[in-house]
């Protein structure tokens, strides 16, 4: 098995005939055998299919669809173990509930049970096939043993080899319409013995269906055995429909450990239920229970047959809701829906529509051919289209076939989008209908009662996330607009100097920073450079940044030396009455002598690259601005020969939590030494590359490069 990330675009030859269900038998035997040797009680096989590629749950071991339905289709970007395993090309091990909550909080919310999990990619050097996963009871050690690790690698090699052989034979394994259940068949001759016991016994298979009900169990449950066999207990017995009871059943299956509960069989008979799971299903032991009077309140249950929700539905909603809470911008919401929600329901595409100024506006979409959805943008809200109807009607609309949609909207362009089924979910916030979310399916799709309930609930959650994201986008746009107006739109041209600048806002939060920079042409032979950073990330910091930049510019053009410029700026901050501090470096460049005079108010030291060697310019620093009104700022003289390059930057480029600043400067200096002689734009890109790749920047970054060239 390759440990490097495979090319996800290579999904094998198209047009080949998919394997029949019987062709999965070899894969099932390998999975069943390995799980037995490893002591795992649940497992499954995912295969990659589709464009874009999605992980499809193709085979399950020891778990029915009531558990796996939310995970039957998983986008590669989903933050769950199997997606991480395929995306990163490595084994993912989760050694218990605490680790699951820390690393995969959304999965932990949807599966709040104790278990250990391993996910292993199935891939060759040429292409990825998918992943296999296994569950162990919570009693398993937090770490895999060497023997278990070897068996897992053997399992991955065996499954990958079988998948490769099937593909070479022209019959590649492909996911079916639903996962194939793999069970362990075990004969039993216990009927006579159990009939003699005072307790009742039932067998429940991987699908949650009763397969054996003893005579005593039927008597305790109050229903004939032939009516119970083939049904789920909480469906056949209305008084067991409380989601709490189903949750205990789910806990036993997922955790692989016994669970129990006490329930009231109307009108007044209390029964004790103990569930004992293994890879093939559960054994349910039922007996009479004695419940004290003061305990009755704790065991109250709703015996109504009309309870609308089930534990599986609730956990499905919690999982998908968790994904939406991480969305920040409108495009984040659209991406979350596309990556997490659409694959979970087997959809092909999504579009998010909003009502603005009497017209339909499409704010985001995924999965449709380029240009197809854009033609519906700006449709008047008076038009008779399914998109407009969904924007004006707070009731979800489900169309399971194209014929259903065409009956209501004959000849409309929306019916020609290449899809075969649609779900229109109204987006309602505080009683306001702000838009709709359209999920489209490539094939006719039957929306079950549970699925409609989940999608309807998700409509409200999507609406909340979208409303919050729109507010964020608006504020972010205003904040960035303010900051951009306070920074120079372009640096002036100064003969003898080549300059370039990079500015990266922080990625965490939407507050604006106080980083600033400027290049000032004083006369034909003199230029000044300033770079600084006001503490804080808010409007006050940005406003003060603008005042400092203006003050420095005024003092510089008055031909003041660097010490005087910083001293006067420092006193100005005291006169403004602000409590904010600011760091600042001011350089005055004599272009005729190629000499720089530098004064520094607590700012990170500039770097100077000359002939492939980098020097950290550590002048006699003065204290940061706005600490002491009479602070002095000594001046340091620096040679700037032709061809040398100076890098000035703010602390966002070099400060990393838990990392020594000198160590970071050494790394930055080494990079600068390697690239310092390259074109200036390329040097800037190289120095800023690490910061640009960082997903979480907690501070703004300004980088200003200055190269001495012939005039």
């Amino acid at each position: 098995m390759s440990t490097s990330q495979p090319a996800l675009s290579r999904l094998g030859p198209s047009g080949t005939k998919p394997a029949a269900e019987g062709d999965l038998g070899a894969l099932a035997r390998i999975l069943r055998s390995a799980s037995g040797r490893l002591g795992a009680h649940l497992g499954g096989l995912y295969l990659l299919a589709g464009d874009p590629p999605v992980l499809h749950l193709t085979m399950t071991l020891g778990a029915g669809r009531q558990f796996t339905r939310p995970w039957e289709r998983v986008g590669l970007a989903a933050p769950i173990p199997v997606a991480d395993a395929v995306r990163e090309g490595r084994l993912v091990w989760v050694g218990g509930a605490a680790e699951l909550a820390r690393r995969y909080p959304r999965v932990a919310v949807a599966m709040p049970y104790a278990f250990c999990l391993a996910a292993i990619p199935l891939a060759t050097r040429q292409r990825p096939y998918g992943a296999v996963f296994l569950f162990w009871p919570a009693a398993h050690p937090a770490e895999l043993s060497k023997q278990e690790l070897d068996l897992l690698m053997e399992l991955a090699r065996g499954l990958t080899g079988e998948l490769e052989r099937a593909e070479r034979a022209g019959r590649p394994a492909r996911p079916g319409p639903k996962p194939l259940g793999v069970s362990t068949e075990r004969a039993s001759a216990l009927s006579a013995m159990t009939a003699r016991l005072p307790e009742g016994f039932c067998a429940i298979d991987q699908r949650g269906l009763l397969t054996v009900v003893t005579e005593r169990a039927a008597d305790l449950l109050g229903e004939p055995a032939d009516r119970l066999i083939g049904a789920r207990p909480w469906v056949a017995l209305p008084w067991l429909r409380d989601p709490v009871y189903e949750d205990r059943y789910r806990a036993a299956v997922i955790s692989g450990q016994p669970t129990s509960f006490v329930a009231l069989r109307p009108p007044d008979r209390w029964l004790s239920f103990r569930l004992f799971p293994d890879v093939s299903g559960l054994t349910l032991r039922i007996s009479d229970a004695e419940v004290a009077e003061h305990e009755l309140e704790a065991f109250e249950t709703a015996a109504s047959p009309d309870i609308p929700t089930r534990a599986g539905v609730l956990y499905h909603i919690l999982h998908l809701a968790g994904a939406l809470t991480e969305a920040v911008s409108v495009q984040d919401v659209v991406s979350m829906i596309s990556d997490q929600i659409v694959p979970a329901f087997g959809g092909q595409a999504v579009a998010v529509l909003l009502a603005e100024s009497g017209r339909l506006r499409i704010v985001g979409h995924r999965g449709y051919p380029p240009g197809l959805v854009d033609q519906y943008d700006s449709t008047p809200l008076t038009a008779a289209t399914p998109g407009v109807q969904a924007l004006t009607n707070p009731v979800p609309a489900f169309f399971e076939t194209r014929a259903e949609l065409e009956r209501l909207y004959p000849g409309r362009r929306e019916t020609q989008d290449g899809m075969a089924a649609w779900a229109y979910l109204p987006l309602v916030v505080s009683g306001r209908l702000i838009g709709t979310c359209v999920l489209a399916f490539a094939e006719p799709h039957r929306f079950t009662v549970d699925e409609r309930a989940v999608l309807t609930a998700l409509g409200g959650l999507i609406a909340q996330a979208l409303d919050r994201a729109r507010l964020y986008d608006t504020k972010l746009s205003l904040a960035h607009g303010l900051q951009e107006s306070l920074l120079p739109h372009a640096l002036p041209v100064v003969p003898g100097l080549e300059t370039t600048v990079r500015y990266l806002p922080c990625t965490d939060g939407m507050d604006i920073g106080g980083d600033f920079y400027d290049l000032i042409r004083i006369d034909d032979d003199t230029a000044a450079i300033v770079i600084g950073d006001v503490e804080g990330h808010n409007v006050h910091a940005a406003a003060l940044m603008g005042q400092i930049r203006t003050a420095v510019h005024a003092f510089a053009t008055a031909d003041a030396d660097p010490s005087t410029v910083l001293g006067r700026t420092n006193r100005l901050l005291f006169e403004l009455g602000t409590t904010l501090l600011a760091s600042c470096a001011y350089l005055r460049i004599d272009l005729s002598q190629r000499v720089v005079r530098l004064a520094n108010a607590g700012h990170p030291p500039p770097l100077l690259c000359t002939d492939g060697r980098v020097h950290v310019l550590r002048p006699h620093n003065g204290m940061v601005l706005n600490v002491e009104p009479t602070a002095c700022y000594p001046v340091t003289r620096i040679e700037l020969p032709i061809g040398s390059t100076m890098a000035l930057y703010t602390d966002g480029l070099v400060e990393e939590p838990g990392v020594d600043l000198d160590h970071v400067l050494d790394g930055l200096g080494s990079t600068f030494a390697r690239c310092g002689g390259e074109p200036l734009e390329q040097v800037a890109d190289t120095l800023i590359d690490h910061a640009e790749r960082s997903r979480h920047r907690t501070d703004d970054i300004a980088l200003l490069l200055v190269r001495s060239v012939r005039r």
Side-chain angles (χ1 to χ4, degrees), residues 401-424:
T401 64
R402 181 184 300 276
E404 287 186 19
L405 188 64
E406 288 180 340
R407 259 196 311 272
L408 290 178
Y409 303 97
R412 296 304 308 176
R413 290 180 299 175
E414 285 88 338
T415 63
Q416 309 302 317
D417 61 3
M419 301 299 167
W422 300 262
Y424 286 84

Side-chain angles (χ1 to χ4, degrees), residues 311-579:
V313 176
L314 293 174
Y315 289 136
H316 196 175
I317 293 173
L318 286 172
H319 166 66
L320 297 175
L324 289 171
T325 61
E326 298 177 11
V328 176
S329 66
V330 169
Q331 290 309 309
D332 285 344
V333 175
V334 176
S335 295
M336 282 292 183
I337 298 170
S338 174
D339 295 339
Q340 309 290 326
I341 296 176
V342 172
F345 292 93
Q348 175 69 27
V350 62
V352 178
L353 321 174
L354 297 179
E356 290 186 1
S357 304
R359 290 185 176 273
L360 177 152
R361 181 184 168 218
I362 299 174
V363 297
H365 60 87
R366 299 282 192 282
Y368 288 100
L372 178 67
V373 177
D374 296 334
Q375 63 182 307
Y376 306 126
D377 206 14
S378 298
T379 301
L381 294 183
T382 55
T385 71
V388 169
Q389 176 65 19
L391 276 168
T392 56
N393 185 357
V395 179
F398 299 95
F399 301 96
E400 298 186 339
T401 64
R402 181 184 300 276
E404 287 186 19
L405 188 64
E406 288 180 340
R407 259 196 311 272
L408 290 178
Y409 303 97
R412 296 304 308 176
R413 290 180 299 175
E414 285 88 338
T415 63
Q416 309 302 317
D417 61 3
M419 301 299 167
W422 300 262
Y424 286 84
L425 310 177
L427 306 179
V428 181
V429 177
S430 301
R432 296 179 294 112
L433 183 61
I434 64 170
T436 191
C437 175
V438 184
L439 300 185
F441 298 77
E443 303 292 336
H445 184 86
R446 180 177 174 270
F447 296 96
T448 65
V449 173
D450 281 356
E451 201 169 60
R452 292 182 185 228
V454 173
L455 287 171
T456 301
L458 282 175
L461 297 172
I462 292 170
Q464 295 288 340
L466 190 62
D467 197 48
R468 183 179 65 250
R470 292 171 71 195
L471 179 62
Y472 174 90
D473 284 349
T474 300
K475 289 184 176 180
L476 184 64
S477 177
L478 291 172
H480 283 176
L482 171 62
Q483 190 164 34
E484 289 174 5
S485 69
L486 296 173
L487 292 172
H489 295 290
L491 297 178
V493 176
V494 177
L497 292 180
E498 183 183 348
T499 61
T500 190
V501 68
R502 296 289 187 274
Y503 185 87
L504 296 180
C506 63
T507 59
D508 290 354
M510 62 162 232
D511 293 331
I512 56 177
D515 292 16
F516 63 96
Y517 56 86
D518 207 352
L519 172 63
I520 307 162
R521 185 171 182 180
I522 298 174
D523 57 39
D524 290 344
D525 292 323
T526 312
I529 296 173
V530 62
I531 189 165
D533 185 4
V534 179
E535 70 169 331
H537 291 82
N538 49 46
V539 173
H540 299 296
L544 185 62
M545 173 264 283
Q547 291 173 304
I548 293 175
R549 178 172 166 255
T550 301
V552 170
H553 200 287
F555 297 142
T557 54
D559 206 21
D561 65 76
S563 179
T564 303
V565 169
L566 291 187
R568 290 176 178 175
T569 305
N570 181 52
R571 286 192 294 274
L572 174 65
L573 293 186
F574 274 90
E575 293 172 6
L576 292 174
T578 179
T579 60

Side-chain angles (χ1 to χ4, degrees), residues 207-225:
R207 298 167 296 171
L209 304 178
L210 289 161
T211 56
V212 175
V213 178
T214 66
E215 199 171 309
R216 176 59 177 159
D219 178 63
L220 288 168
L221 295 173
E223 293 287 346

Side-chain angles (χ1 to χ4, degrees), residues 633-698:
Y633 299 94
V635 176
T636 302
R637 185 179 185 276
I638 302 163
E639 299 289 337
L640 189 67
I642 290 176
S644 59
T645 304
M646 185 177 293
L648 302 104
Y649 51 89
T650 55
D651 55 11
L653 183 65
V654 293
E655 287 189 352
E656 298 181 21
V659 180
D660 182 70
L661 179 59
D662 288 337
H663 178 73
V664 178
L665 281 176
D666 288 343
L668 183 65
S670 298
T671 303
F672 194 18
R674 289 194 300 270
C675 69
E678 298 173 353
L680 209 57
E681 294 293 329
Q682 190 171 334
V683 176
D685 290 339
T686 300
L687 293 181
I688 210 77
D689 178 63
H690 173 72
E692 284 185 317
R693 286 187 279 111
S694 175
R695 296 180 59 187
H696 301 287
R697 293 191 301 274
T698 58

Side-chain angles (χ1 to χ4, degrees), residues 78-380:
I80 70 172
V82 289
D84 281 357
V86 175
R87 195 171 57 248
E88 300 172 12
R90 63 179 180 88
L91 182 147
V92 174
W93 168 254
V94 180
E99 187 177 356
L100 183 72
R102 177 174 55 83
R103 294 173 56 191
Y104 300 99
R106 273 193 250 150
V107 179
V109 168
M111 300 178 69
Y113 311 115
F115 59 88
C116 297
L117 162 69
I120 314 100
L122 306 178
T124 62
R125 292 187 180 277
Q126 288 71 40
R127 59 158 292 185
Y129 287 99
V132 62
F133 70 92
L134 292 172
F135 279 44
W136 285 262
H140 187 283
E143 299 294 336
L144 284 168
S145 68
K146 174 67 167 58
Q147 182 183 10
E148 288 174 324
L149 187 59
D150 290 343
L151 286 173
L152 286 171
M153 295 301 103
E154 180 184 330
L155 168 62
R157 287 192 296 270
L159 291 173
T160 303
E162 186 61 37
L163 290 166
E164 195 174 19
R165 280 190 292 274
E167 187 171 66
R168 284 201 301 265
R171 295 181 63 80
R174 298 284 176 83
K178 62 181 181 180
L180 174 67
V182 179
S183 61
T184 55
E185 302 296 336
R186 295 183 301 178
S188 173
L190 301 177
S191 299
M193 184 184 75
T194 57
R196 292 191 291 268
L197 296 174
E199 299 96 342
F201 290 88
C202 301
I204 302 178
D205 68 10
Q206 298 168 350
R207 298 167 296 171
L209 304 178
L210 289 161
T211 56
V212 175
V213 178
T214 66
E215 199 171 309
R216 176 59 177 159
D219 178 63
L220 288 168
L221 295 173
E223 293 287 346
D226 58 358
R227 182 181 176 277
L228 295 172
I229 290 176
R232 292 186 172 90
W234 49 87
V235 173
L237 303 167
W239 46 276
L240 282 181
R241 290 188 187 176
D242 192 310
V244 171
Y245 303 146
E246 186 192 351
D247 178 71
R248 293 295 79 210
Y249 161 71
R250 294 170 63 86
V253 174
I254 300 300
S255 70
Q257 295 185 322
T259 62
S260 63
F261 61 88
V262 176
L264 173 65
R265 174 190 144 187
D268 56 6
R269 189 170 187 177
W270 289 92
L271 298 177
S272 170
F273 295 80
R274 287 188 59 81
L275 298 89
F276 300 89
D278 71 0
V279 69
S280 63
L282 295 98
T283 296
L284 174 62
R285 191 181 76 182
I286 309 169
S287 60
D288 282 303
E290 293 185 6
V291 179
E293 192 69 30
H294 68 277
E295 295 178 302
L296 290 177
E297 186 174 338
F299 290 113
E300 283 183 357
T301 180
S304 167
D306 300 321
I307 294 176
T309 57
R310 294 247 315 279
V313 176
L314 293 174
Y315 289 136
H316 196 175
I317 293 173
L318 286 172
H319 166 66
L320 297 175
L324 289 171
T325 61
E326 298 177 11
V328 176
S329 66
V330 169
Q331 290 309 309
D332 285 344
V333 175
V334 176
S335 295
M336 282 292 183
I337 298 170
S338 174
D339 295 339
Q340 309 290 326
I341 296 176
V342 172
F345 292 93
Q348 175 69 27
V350 62
V352 178
L353 321 174
L354 297 179
E356 290 186 1
S357 304
R359 290 185 176 273
L360 177 152
R361 181 184 168 218
I362 299 174
V363 297
H365 60 87
R366 299 282 192 282
Y368 288 100
L372 178 67
V373 177
D374 296 334
Q375 63 182 307
Y376 306 126
D377 206 14
S378 298
T379 301

